[in-house]
């Protein structure tokens, strides 16, 4: 047990130790999954350091709403970890509430405004069990539905939680609660909020910019200045905590690590994953403090005391920021419960690679053709790249006896290879010939996807390569044939509205590029931020079908266009595209029937003739439709 005097002596040698211990409270520990704001506040009181202050993006709108004396109340909604209580506390202090009163026990705080209204703050609806939640909801109901202007209720609650509590309250009152349905539409479809209730939804506020802010606040906090006089950095010693936070700040790579981390978060967001503020804090804290050896660092998060033990072993690979970014330092069970690490692991970085990258990592230091690349891309990083431990394991693998190559005999080196792949994903220079960084992930075309979004935002033409790949993949899914066309889209069936994977009958074909109001256009969907395929089959409104191109759908189409699709891909993408195909077939049928009205072509006895358009493939792989008329014998 460390006594107070021993702790003071340690802190004098390691002046930032109190700050590092406080930063651990933001990390992915098993203690801070609930009541996060209160947990961190207690940790701050013990550490007596400057707090982490993040922007409150909706605070100004909340203050303006109160100052305008708009009648009604406020609902601060979101998911767990979005910062609902943090916003609630910031609003309390902004309108004159005492921070000490807020910190005192109790889930409900009241403050009388100068205009006579009573502000009733409910920190977290989840703190009320069962029928206990009826009381705050009834106060909210009086303000919103019954026109009581004497109180303004500020309620912080999770989406599902407030809907469930309103449903249960309605059942006890033998009615359908009038607030439940409009709130559900507001959460799910961004509909209008109920009258007299201002809804501030924090789940729609996180983005790449949010991650950039969190990284700057965590890695650039003023408490780190104390590290300059730390004994753990004296005489050229390497402190992995300080090394990691400097890399997160981008001091050595011009911010490339931060940009690629933002790319991953953006791809996850566009795939429909919501990453709350709490998770972004856990990500950045784990990147700085993470350690894969729980024997060296309790709960896999370092303190300053742990650094001395690591320096004795000189094995800093266990603290690599690139490994920590994917939560690979954490036990799988603990990482699974964090949406951010679940999202990061979905990219498969560490498991995915290419032949060229594997050759570089395994044979690079000895192969004269690869040595320059190895020295530049691996050996140039002696802390997390070509470390003594990695080179020793590499030599044992290449030069050891046969047992080192048998199953289980080279597990240490293979684990190190996974870590090196993760490092390469972040450190490979942009445009590196032969080693594209996205090839180290399951989303090999994610770079093109992000460029596509930027082009649409800037209203620039979409790259012909990217468009062509999308069209080729789309044609191959719609027909089930290995066709190469990028100039047109075949809408094919197998003779009916079936889910047949191979369709050789062309019901309709259209241009792959919108011309004269007909063909495919690629636009940006404002509500989702994803590109959207808009396929118009005829002039006029109502003759088009749209398809949201999420990152995983884009990856699916691109992989199909390239001729290979790994078995790890879910059938969900294919089912989505087959549903899109069914909509196109229905729209083609409507367009065809509409076009037949007033048609003065030669009358044909349909009972004796049937015209079919078969898709055939030329020698070079280009598809075309060939008309065949089938007549019944008289």
């Amino acid at each position: 047990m460390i006594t107070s005097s021993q702790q003071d002596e340690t802190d004098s040698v390691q002046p930032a130790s109190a700050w590092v211990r406080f930063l651990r409270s933001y990390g992915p520990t098993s203690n801070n999954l609930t009541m996060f704001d209160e947990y961190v506040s207690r940790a701050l009181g013990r550490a007596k350091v400057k707090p982490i202050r993040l922007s409150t993006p909706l605070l100004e709108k909340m203050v303006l709403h109160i100052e305008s004396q708009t009648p009604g109340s406020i609902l601060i909604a979101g998911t767990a970890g979005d910062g609902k209580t943090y916003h609630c506390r910031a609003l309390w202090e902004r309108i004159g509430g005492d921070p000490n009163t807020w910190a005192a026990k109790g889930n409900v705080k009241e403050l009388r405004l100068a205009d006579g209204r009573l502000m009733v703050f409910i920190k977290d609806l989840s703190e009320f069990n069962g029928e206990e939640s009826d009381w705050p909801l009834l106060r909210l109901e009086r303000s919103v539905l019954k026109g009581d202007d004497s109180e303004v209720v500020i309620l912080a609650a999770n989406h599902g939680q407030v809907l469930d509590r309103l449903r249960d309250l309605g059942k006890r009152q033998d009615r359908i609660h009038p607030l439940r349905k409009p709130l559900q539409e507001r959460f799910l479809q961004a509909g209008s909020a109920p009258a007299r209730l201002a809804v501030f939804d924090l789940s729609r506020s996180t983005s790449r910019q949010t991650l950039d802010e969190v990284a700057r606040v965590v890695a650039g906090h003023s408490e780190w200045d104390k590290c300059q006089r730390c004994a753990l950095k004296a005489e050229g010693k390497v402190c992995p905590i300080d090394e990691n936070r400097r890399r997160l700040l981008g001091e050595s790579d011009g911010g490339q690590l931060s940009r690629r981390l933002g790319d991953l978060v953006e791809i996850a967001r566009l795939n429909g994953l919501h990453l709350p503020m709490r998770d972004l804090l856990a990500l950045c804290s784990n990147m700085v403090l993470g350690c894969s050896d729980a024997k060296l660092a309790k709960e896999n998060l370092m303190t300053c005391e742990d650094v001395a033990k690591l320096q004795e072993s000189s094995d800093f690979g266990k603290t690599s920021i690139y490994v920590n970014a994917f939560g690979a330092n954490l036990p799988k069970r603990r990482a699974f419960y964090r949406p951010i690490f679940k999202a990061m692991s979905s990219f498969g970085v560490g498991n995915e690679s290419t032949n060229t990258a594997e050759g570089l990592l395994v044979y690079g230091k000895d192969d004269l053709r690869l040595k320059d690349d190895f020295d530049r891309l691996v050996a140039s990083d002696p802390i997390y790249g070509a470390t003594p431990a990695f080179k020793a394991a590499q030599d044992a693998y290449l030069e050891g006896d046969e047992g080192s190559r048998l199953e289980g005999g080279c597990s240490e080196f293979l684990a190190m290879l996974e870590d090196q792949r993760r490092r390469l994903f972040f450190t490979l220079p942009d445009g590196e010939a032969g080693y594209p960084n996205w090839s180290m992930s399951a989303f090999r075309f994610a770079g093109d996807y992000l460029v596509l979004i930027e082009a649409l935002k800037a209203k620039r033409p979409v790259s012909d390569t990217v468009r062509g790949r999308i069209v080729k993949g789309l044609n191959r899914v719609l027909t089930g044939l290995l066709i190469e066309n990028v100039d047109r889209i075949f809408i094919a069936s197998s003779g009916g509205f079936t889910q047949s994977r191979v369709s050789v009958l062309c019901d309709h074909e259209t241009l792959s590029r919108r011309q004269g109001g007909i063909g495919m256009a690629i636009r940006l969907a404002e509500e989702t931020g994803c590109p959207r395929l808009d396929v118009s089959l005829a002039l006029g409104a109502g003759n088009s079908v749209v398809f949201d191109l999420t990152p995983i759908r884009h990856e699916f189409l691109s992989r199909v266009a390239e001729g290979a699709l790994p078995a790890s891909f879910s059938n969900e993408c294919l089912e989505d595209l087959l549903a899109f195909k069914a909509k196109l077939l229905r729209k083609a049928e409507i367009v065809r029937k509409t076009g037949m009205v007033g048609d003065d072509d030669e009358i044909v006895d349909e009972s004796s003739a049937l015209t079919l358009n078969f898709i055939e493939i030329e020698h070079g792989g280009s598809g075309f439709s060939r008309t065949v008329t089938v007549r019944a014998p008289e």
Side-chain angles (χ1 to χ4, degrees):
M1 182 176 178
I2 299 176
T3 65
S4 177
S5 60
Q6 288 174 323
Q7 187 65 62
D8 290 343
E9 182 180 349
T10 299
D11 289 351
S12 64
V13 177
Q14 303 157 2
S17 59
W19 158 250
V20 171
R21 287 195 299 272
F22 168 67
L23 185 60
R24 290 179 85 255
S25 65
Y26 285 97
T29 67
S30 56
N31 298 323
N32 62 4
L33 292 174
T34 60
M35 296 301 292
F36 182 73
D37 190 73
E38 287 77 3
Y39 174 84
V40 171
S41 296
R42 291 194 297 271
L44 179 64
R46 292 192 299 269
K48 297 179 181 179
V49 296
K50 295 179 181 178
I52 287 178
R53 296 198 178 278
L54 296 167
S55 65
T56 44
L58 300 182
L59 177 61
E60 295 304 322
K61 292 182 179 179
M62 295 177 189
V63 173
L64 183 62
H65 181 83
I66 291 174
E67 291 179 346
S68 66
Q69 298 187 13
T70 303
S73 290
I74 292 175
L75 173 63
I76 304 176
T79 62
D82 274 328
K84 300 181 296 298
T85 306
Y86 186 78
H87 271 76
C88 211
R89 173 159 55 92
L91 181 60
W92 165 271
E93 296 179 5
R94 182 67 175 273
I95 62 176
D98 183 357
N100 293 325
T101 302
W102 181 272
K105 290 184 178 181
N107 192 35
V108 180
K109 304 295 178 182
E110 297 182 354
L111 178 66
R112 181 75 63 179
L113 295 181
D115 58 19
R117 291 180 298 165
L118 181 66
M119 308 295 292
V120 182
F121 286 79
I122 300 168
K123 293 182 179 182
D124 192 342
L125 187 63
S126 66
E127 285 296 285
F128 294 93
N129 298 319
E131 295 186 16
E132 290 180 357
S133 62
D134 289 357
W135 175 78
L137 291 177
L138 288 172
R139 292 184 80 161
L140 181 71
E141 186 176 331
R142 282 201 305 269
S143 171
V144 175
L145 300 177
K146 298 182 180 178
D148 183 359
D149 292 331
S150 63
E151 289 186 355
V152 178
V153 178
I154 294 93
L155 173 65
N158 289 356
H159 293 141
Q161 200 168 71
V162 69
L163 294 176
D164 288 345
R165 300 295 175 88
L166 288 172
R167 180 196 59 204
D168 295 341
L169 175 60
K171 286 182 178 179
R172 285 191 284 273
Q173 296 174 334
D174 196 24
R175 63 166 180 163
I176 297 175
H177 200 284
L179 286 178
R180 189 176 186 277
K181 185 175 180 180
L183 278 179
Q184 181 173 295
E185 292 178 351
R186 175 72 175 80
F187 296 153
L188 298 179
Q189 303 172 8
S192 300
R196 292 176 59 91
L197 181 62
V199 178
F200 295 93
D201 192 348
L202 298 179
S203 69
R204 301 178 183 275
S205 61
T206 54
S207 63
R208 177 197 292 268
Q209 288 71 30
T210 310
L211 174 64
D212 290 342
E213 180 194 5
V214 172
R216 287 196 307 272
V217 169
V218 168
H221 196 279
S222 60
E223 290 286 340
W224 292 114
D225 294 341
K226 296 177 181 177
C227 292
Q228 295 178 4
R229 61 178 191 275
C230 180
L232 294 173
K233 288 182 59 181
E235 301 174 355
K237 295 178 182 177
V238 174
C239 171
I241 295 178
D242 186 62
E243 181 69 26
N244 286 346
R245 75 104 183 172
R246 289 181 181 278
R247 294 196 185 207
L248 184 56
L249 280 176
E251 291 186 358
S252 60
D253 66 358
Q256 178 173 287
L257 167 62
S258 181
R259 288 194 300 274
R260 291 192 177 165
L261 193 66
D263 289 342
L264 292 172
V265 168
E266 192 70 3
I267 291 292
R269 182 185 70 83
L270 293 170
N271 267 328
L273 295 174
H274 171 59
L275 303 175
M277 182 73 75
R278 180 192 304 179
D279 273 37
L280 299 183
L281 282 164
L283 171 65
C284 293
S285 301
N286 189 64
M287 289 177 70
V288 173
L289 303 179
C291 176
S292 59
D293 191 342
K295 295 179 181 178
L296 291 174
K298 183 180 178 182
E299 293 199 280
N300 301 96
L301 294 171
M302 290 182 287
T303 62
C304 293
E305 291 78 11
D306 300 325
V307 171
K309 293 181 288 185
L310 285 160
Q311 288 176 337
E312 289 177 4
S313 66
S314 299
D315 186 6
F316 298 115
K318 296 176 180 179
T319 67
S320 171
I321 186 174
Y322 311 109
V323 175
N324 299 340
F326 297 97
N329 64 301
L330 302 171
K332 290 183 178 180
R333 185 179 181 85
R334 197 182 336 154
F336 179 80
Y337 283 109
R338 293 283 181 168
I340 182 64
F341 296 119
K342 192 174 180 180
M344 295 292 280
S345 66
S346 70
F347 288 95
V349 177
N351 299 318
E352 299 286 336
S353 188
T354 63
N355 290 336
T356 53
E358 291 303 278
L360 175 72
L361 291 173
V362 177
Y363 305 108
K365 75 181 181 69
D366 299 318
D367 190 328
L368 294 179
R369 294 169 299 177
L370 299 173
K371 193 174 189 314
D372 288 344
D373 286 347
F374 183 85
D375 291 342
R376 181 169 53 90
L377 301 174
V378 183
S380 59
D381 185 353
I383 299 176
Y384 296 138
T387 63
F390 176 76
K391 288 187 287 189
Q394 187 181 40
D395 289 339
Y397 177 76
L398 294 174
E399 302 172 9
D401 57 32
E402 187 64 27
S404 66
R405 298 185 180 88
L406 298 177
E407 184 176 355
C410 55
S411 57
E412 181 184 6
F413 179 61
L414 295 181
M416 289 182 173
L417 278 182
E418 289 186 11
D419 293 347
Q420 289 302 319
R421 294 179 197 126
R422 296 184 179 105
R423 190 190 68 85
L424 282 179
F425 175 83
F426 287 112
T427 60
L428 284 169
D430 291 331
E432 178 68 31
Y435 309 105
N437 75 293
W438 283 109
S439 67
M440 311 299 292
S441 79
F443 286 78
R444 302 197 172 191
F445 296 92
D448 289 339
Y449 183 83
L450 294 172
V451 171
L452 169 61
I453 290 178
E454 291 303 313
L456 294 175
K457 286 181 178 178
K459 301 188 183 304
R460 297 194 306 268
V462 175
S463 161
D464 289 339
T465 301
V466 173
R467 180 188 287 272
R469 195 187 298 126
I470 292 171
V471 172
K472 186 191 293 187
L474 196 57
N475 273 327
R476 291 184 172 187
V477 173
L478 295 178
T479 65
L481 305 172
L482 290 175
I483 56 179
E484 299 287 331
N485 299 69
V486 297
D487 60 333
R488 70 185 73 181
I489 297 172
F490 295 100
I491 302 170
S493 71
S494 56
F497 293 106
T498 70
Q499 293 290 306
S500 173
R501 303 296 170 91
V502 178
S503 304
V504 296
L505 296 177
C506 182
D507 285 38
H508 194 98
E509 64 179 84
T510 190
L511 300 172
S512 64
R513 191 185 301 270
R514 184 71 60 88
Q515 295 179 18
I518 299 176
M520 186 181 78
I522 305 178
R523 299 190 173 94
L524 198 65
E526 293 184 5
E527 60 272 24
T528 63
C530 290
R532 174 175 288 170
L533 307 183
D534 186 342
V535 181
S536 177
L537 305 185
L539 289 173
N543 289 323
S544 64
V545 181
V546 298
F547 183 73
D548 284 338
L549 195 63
T550 61
I552 194 168
R553 290 173 175 177
H554 174 265
E555 187 72 22
F556 181 90
L557 287 175
S558 299
R559 295 285 189 103
V560 170
E562 295 295 310
L565 185 66
S568 59
F569 262 83
S570 168
N571 282 331
E572 184 180 352
C573 289
L574 180 58
E575 296 301 326
D576 290 344
L577 281 158
L578 290 178
F580 177 52
K581 171 183 174 178
K583 292 179 181 179
L584 286 170
L585 286 170
R586 284 194 292 269
K587 188 64 66 178
E589 179 70 16
I590 293 170
V591 168
R592 185 166 56 251
K593 289 181 178 179
T594 303
M596 291 174 61
V597 176
D599 194 350
D600 59 355
D601 287 349
E602 179 183 355
I603 297 175
V604 178
D605 182 3
E606 294 185 358
S607 64
S608 62
L610 178 64
T611 301
L612 301 174
N613 292 321
F614 283 91
I615 300 174
E616 297 192 358
I617 305 177
E618 296 176 332
H619 181 70
S622 180
F624 66 96
S625 59
R626 181 171 62 87
T627 302
V628 175
T629 302
V630 181
R631 295 184 182 276
E634 297 182 358

